[in-house]
Amino acid sequence: MRAAINKANTLRGLVTSGFIRNIKSMSSSSSQSFVSRSVIKKVFAKLQKEGDGAVVRRGISRSEQKLLDPFLMLDEFSVSPPAGFPDHPHRGFETVTYVLEVNETSSSSFYFKGHKGTIYAGDVQWMTAGRGIIHSEMPEEEVNKGLQLWINLSSKEKMIEPNYQELSNSDIPKAEQNGVQVKVIAGESMGIQSPVYTRTPTMFVDFTLDPGAQFHQNVPQSWNAFAYVLESGEGGAVFGSSDSSPVSSHNVVVFGQGNDGVSVWNKSSSKKLRFVLIAGEPIGEPVVQYGPFVMNTQAEIDMTIEDYHYSKNGFEMAKYWKSQ
């Protein structure tokens, strides 16, 4: 859980500035002609401590980065006060925070220019750190659960000005057919499209399948793709082909490239299957990461550390800003 957003800077400004990107190749397909990608790897997201007393399940780490370019990290978080993520910097990538559950109020964070944002259950915040941002992410009350995805930026965009987009739960496009419900956070599914602008072309879709339901989702052939299983009954989550081994909750399912997209079946007789499907266009550039800084060379990392230390080149307010 690494960010939230100022309500005043929302999608209306992105629409008027022409930032909305149409991606027409991501709709769902019928099963007759659909050729699914195969599953090439499964990774169980183990619990680990992060931040100040927070607990996360890390589904994507550095060992998966080459397979899943442009994605750098995926955490399923569970945070309650006083735990959280105090002030920390970022440079060179984007974070997507998707709140799945808030027991009472909200999770909130602070942007280093003084904006405060609050996100609630079902809301999404898409933050572009660019050349430099400092913020905190602290729950206000009760337990906050959700996902945070880190998406790399190309070398030409790593030093752009920071930006953030907000999508409330009520504004996320939703559809349902044949026992399958979908929320389109980025990209397109079932003929509906998210208004979120993705600098690195990205699909992020939240699926819920009733017992016995199946679905086939188109993904551009050159993109890398994976699923993360949030909830599944025993034997329920089956990907790739109908006779594949089922996948349990908290697993990342990595798909091979090519073919039409991803097929999934819920073979549970009683429980719904919920997972997110995430795909993106590979950047194909070197990745050098030092904690919250992601650049292309070690020299750029060294310069980033210097910039942060001396409060310059994007971190000018680091010396003065402190979240409340």
Side-chain angles (χ1 to χ4, degrees):
M1 179 185 59
R2 308 257 192 322
I5 328 159
N6 188 341
K7 288 278 186 182
N9 190 4
T10 58
L11 295 170
R12 185 181 298 109
L14 294 168
V15 173
T16 57
S17 63
F19 275 153
I20 303 305
R21 173 175 297 175
N22 292 322
I23 303 175
K24 294 297 185 183
S25 57
M26 295 186 187
S27 60
S28 56
S29 294
S30 64
S31 58
Q32 281 87 1
S33 59
F34 192 90
V35 181
S36 179
R37 296 183 178 206
S38 59
V39 176
I40 61 172
K41 187 175 183 179
K42 301 174 186 176
V43 180
F44 181 70
K46 297 180 179 179
L47 289 169
Q48 64 182 63
K49 294 181 179 180
E50 288 289 328
D52 186 1
V55 177
V56 304
R57 289 185 180 272
R58 181 143 301 165
I60 295 177
S61 57
R62 297 193 186 188
S63 60
E64 287 78 47
Q65 285 180 358
K66 289 185 178 179
L67 282 175
L68 291 175
D69 177 17
F71 305 112
L72 302 165
M73 189 190 78
L74 177 73
D75 280 354
E76 179 183 3
F77 60 80
S78 178
V79 186
S80 57
F85 303 91
D87 288 330
H88 57 278
H90 291 298
R91 173 182 277 182
F93 62 100
E94 297 184 294
T95 67
V96 182
T97 304
Y98 180 28
V99 178
L100 299 172
E101 177 184 335
V102 179
N103 285 359
E104 284 295 333
T105 59
S106 60
S107 53
S108 65
S109 66
F110 303 83
Y111 178 59
F112 77 91
K113 290 184 178 179
H115 300 297
K116 176 181 178 179
T118 302
I119 48 179
Y120 299 86
D123 293 354
V124 175
Q125 183 262 357
W126 202 293
M127 184 191 75
T128 303
R131 64 198 297 257
I133 195 168
I134 299 171
H135 68 172
S136 71
E137 302 146 291
M138 305 296 291
E140 291 183 350
E141 294 182 29
E142 302 301 328
V143 177
N144 293 252
K145 296 181 180 180
L147 298 174
Q148 184 166 92
L149 176 71
W150 288 16
I151 307 174
N152 200 11
L153 289 171
S154 66
S155 56
K156 65 182 180 182
E157 294 190 304
K158 285 188 176 295
M159 295 296 286
I160 62 175
E161 288 297 317
N163 188 35
Y164 47 96
Q165 302 173 68
E166 178 183 49
L167 198 61
S168 67
N169 183 39
S170 60
D171 292 331
I172 296 175
K174 303 174 182 69
E176 181 174 355
Q177 65 182 34
N178 301 324
V180 180
Q181 300 86 49
V182 63
K183 294 177 64 178
V184 184
I185 295 165
E188 183 180 341
S189 182
M190 290 191 193
I192 60 172
Q193 186 174 331
S194 169
V196 167
Y197 171 71
T198 59
R199 293 184 178 277
T200 302
T202 302
M203 168 195 288
F204 191 137
V205 186
D206 180 353
F207 285 105
T208 301
L209 276 65
D210 291 341
Q214 61 178 285
F215 196 73
H216 310 278
Q217 173 67 42
N218 282 353
V219 177
Q221 290 193 358
S222 63
W223 288 20
N224 291 322
F226 70 95
Y228 183 73
V229 181
L230 293 166
E231 301 172 14
S232 176
E234 185 174 353
V238 175
F239 295 91
S241 64
S242 61
D243 58 353
S244 296
S245 300
V247 183
S248 59
S249 300
H250 311 301
N251 267 280
V252 169
V253 181
V254 181
F255 302 101
Q257 283 190 340
N259 295 335
D260 296 326
V262 172
S263 294
V264 58
W265 292 260
N266 182 5
K267 295 199 172 184
S268 171
S269 60
S270 60
K271 292 189 177 181
K272 292 187 176 186
L273 164 63
R274 187 180 183 189
F275 68 96
V276 293
L277 177 63
I278 298 171
E281 184 176 60
I283 295 174
E285 296 178 349
V287 174
V288 181
Q289 180 175 351
Y290 180 79
F293 305 137
V294 182
M295 305 301 289
N296 295 107
T297 67
Q298 185 59 48
E300 290 172 338
I301 290 291
D302 294 341
M303 179 60 69
T304 299
I305 295 171
E306 180 179 316
D307 288 346
Y308 179 56
H309 181 74
Y310 290 105
S311 302
K312 62 180 184 178
N313 293 334
F315 297 113
E316 283 80 3
M317 296 184 71
K319 188 181 298 184
Y320 310 104
W321 173 251
K322 185 175 178 61
S323 298
Q324 298 298 316

